[in-house]
Amino acid sequence: MKWLYKRLEMAWGILVVIFVLGGSGLQLFHRAIPANETKTEKSFIRWVDFDVTAEAMNDALRYDVESYGQSLHYNWIELLAYLGTRYGGDFSRYRSSDLDALVQTLQNGAELSALTGDMKYYPYYLEAYSAVLGGLAGPYEIQEADASGAPVWVGKYGLKAFSPIARFFPYSDYDDFGAARSYGYAREHLGHDMMGQVGTPIICVESGRVEALGWNQYGGWRIGIRSFDGRRYYYYAHLRKNYPYHKSLSEGSIVHAGDVIGYLGRTGYSRTENTNNIDEPHLHFGLQLIFDESQKDGNNEIWIDCYELTRFLSAHRSETVRDPDTKEHNRAWQIKDPAVPTGSLSSS
């Protein structure tokens, strides 16, 4: 993986600018600037620490969903950005009463733009949290069973993203982002490991396009999927030996949230393809934020801690069915996501 090697080059020509907001603990880290670059480069976010709790995301989304279609509709990301600004990004301080008080203030006639007008870092948190959460909720259609068990299309508004682990399949996890890794060289773990059984169906979290498919010595068989707005790159690694991917996939494939994209395994840590060198079967799930294409590969990559995000998504897991002839798992219920180009129906 190119970016793993390139992180070693960050010792040269580094300029780190740190802004600290009073006692709030807010820190914005600007990326390393090689000596041959000018200071007139375009402005974009260069670092995000995402620690919004699953509880805060659930509470904010509930206000969004319950107010949808009403004259006063609360945008869950804006609510979280307001709280993030107040907390200096530290959601260990989150209390549901803070969110309730904000909503009550809005119900009493206050405008969010007025409340945030003097908040210097609100635009930062709004853009950062929009980059993480922007494609996860909204209107969509999904199949459900009618009284006879036949599938019917139902229009919904709410969470349209899914957990990376299929429904009814067990897994365990903990917050391991930043833990030490030593294969190849000493480095930090920039993803989230979800321990499970070999062959567990791996689910596409958000609709997007397959950008990478194949072997990587660190991640083994892996898939990289880019969101349609270009802001999020989802990385699924250590997939099953011999049969890592859903047969329908290739680079460039369009995938829908909830599709089966592959199978959990323990491949990786080898230059030789199709090698099991990972001790415990698990999915390495990573999320990279991209505010500018220069951040896609190299020194400027932004990977966030996904632990709270996977907790948030755990209540929305895609149900799958196994084809006894092909042994392939497919989603049980199709989805129509407005983010997906017209006419692209799920194939898994």
Side-chain angles (χ1 to χ4, degrees):
M1 191 181 295
K2 293 186 293 183
W3 62 269
L4 291 169
Y5 292 107
K6 291 183 179 179
R7 284 185 182 277
L8 295 177
E9 300 172 3
M10 291 185 67
W12 62 274
I14 292 181
L15 175 62
V16 179
V17 182
I18 302 177
F19 294 93
V20 179
L21 176 61
S24 68
L26 171 63
Q27 293 182 330
L28 303 181
F29 295 82
H30 281 230
R31 72 168 176 85
I33 301 178
N36 63 347
E37 281 193 21
T38 69
K39 295 183 180 180
T40 59
E41 60 185 289
K42 56 186 174 181
S43 175
F44 50 85
I45 290 179
R46 306 178 192 283
W47 189 262
V48 174
D49 282 322
F50 183 77
D51 71 347
V52 181
T53 62
E55 290 76 15
M57 286 184 271
N58 276 315
D59 291 346
L61 184 59
R62 174 174 51 82
Y63 274 117
D64 188 319
V65 172
E66 291 178 354
S67 65
Y68 181 67
Q70 299 181 11
S71 57
L72 183 57
H73 177 219
Y74 309 110
N75 181 298
W76 70 304
I77 300 176
E78 292 177 354
L79 298 178
L80 292 172
Y82 174 89
L83 293 178
T85 308
R86 278 193 53 189
Y87 298 149
D90 179 10
F91 267 82
S92 67
R93 300 166 57 188
Y94 174 70
R95 300 292 182 271
S96 60
S97 57
D98 292 339
L99 180 58
D100 295 339
L102 170 59
V103 170
Q104 185 62 57
T105 300
L106 296 173
Q107 288 176 344
N108 291 340
E111 296 287 340
L112 189 62
S113 58
L115 296 178
T116 60
D118 294 330
M119 289 182 164
K120 181 177 180 180
Y121 291 104
Y122 175 76
Y124 163 79
Y125 282 109
L126 180 60
E127 185 175 359
Y129 292 176
S130 294
V132 179
L133 305 172
L136 304 190
Y140 65 100
E141 293 181 70
I142 196 165
Q143 289 179 330
E144 292 183 354
D146 65 11
S148 67
V152 293
W153 287 101
V154 178
K156 293 192 174 187
Y157 177 89
L159 187 62
K160 61 178 182 176
F162 291 84
S163 167
I165 303 294
R167 189 179 183 189
F168 303 126
F169 287 84
Y171 72 92
S172 63
D173 63 347
Y174 63 93
D175 193 352
D176 58 344
F177 187 83
R181 293 291 185 268
S182 59
Y183 175 79
Y185 61 91
R187 65 194 190 284
E188 291 184 342
H189 185 229
L190 298 177
H192 177 59
D193 288 345
M194 306 178 78
M195 314 299 174
Q197 302 169 345
V198 172
T200 293
I202 300 304
I203 301 300
C204 179
V205 169
E206 178 187 354
S207 301
R209 193 181 304 274
V210 176
E211 198 167 271
L213 188 81
W215 182 261
N216 177 284
Q217 68 164 313
Y218 296 93
W221 294 122
R222 87 322 186 196
I223 301 174
I225 296 175
R226 188 81 168 264
S227 63
F228 287 113
D229 67 3
R231 288 292 183 93
R232 289 165 298 285
Y233 178 76
Y234 295 91
Y235 180 71
Y236 309 80
H238 305 315
L239 302 180
R240 184 174 60 181
K241 183 177 180 179
N242 296 326
Y243 202 140
Y245 313 121
H246 194 279
K247 288 181 178 179
S248 65
L249 295 189
S250 59
E251 286 192 15
S253 293
I254 288 177
V255 286
H256 292 63
D259 281 356
V260 177
I261 56 174
Y263 302 94
L264 188 147
R266 59 185 191 91
T267 59
Y269 283 15
S270 174
R271 294 181 182 274
T272 302
E273 286 192 2
N274 210 33
T275 300
N276 277 335
N277 264 351
I278 303 297
D279 293 333
E280 185 173 0
H282 68 274
L283 170 70
H284 171 106
F285 174 63
L287 177 55
Q288 181 187 7
L289 303 184
I290 303 167
F291 297 93
D292 184 85
E293 281 304 308
S294 65
Q295 298 173 312
K296 180 59 177 66
D297 297 294
N299 296 340
N300 308 325
E301 296 175 13
I302 302 174
W303 294 88
I304 65 165
D305 189 339
C306 294
Y307 176 66
E308 293 293 335
L309 186 62
T310 56
R311 287 186 61 225
F312 171 63
L313 294 172
S314 64
H316 201 212
R317 300 175 69 182
S318 182
E319 185 176 347
T320 63
V321 291
R322 184 172 181 267
D323 186 318
D325 296 324
T326 65
K327 309 298 189 292
E328 188 86 81
H329 283 261
N330 298 291
R331 67 184 306 152
W333 309 102
Q334 298 291 335
I335 192 173
K336 294 178 182 178
D337 183 354
V340 178
T342 303
S344 301
L345 190 63
S346 173
S347 58
S348 70

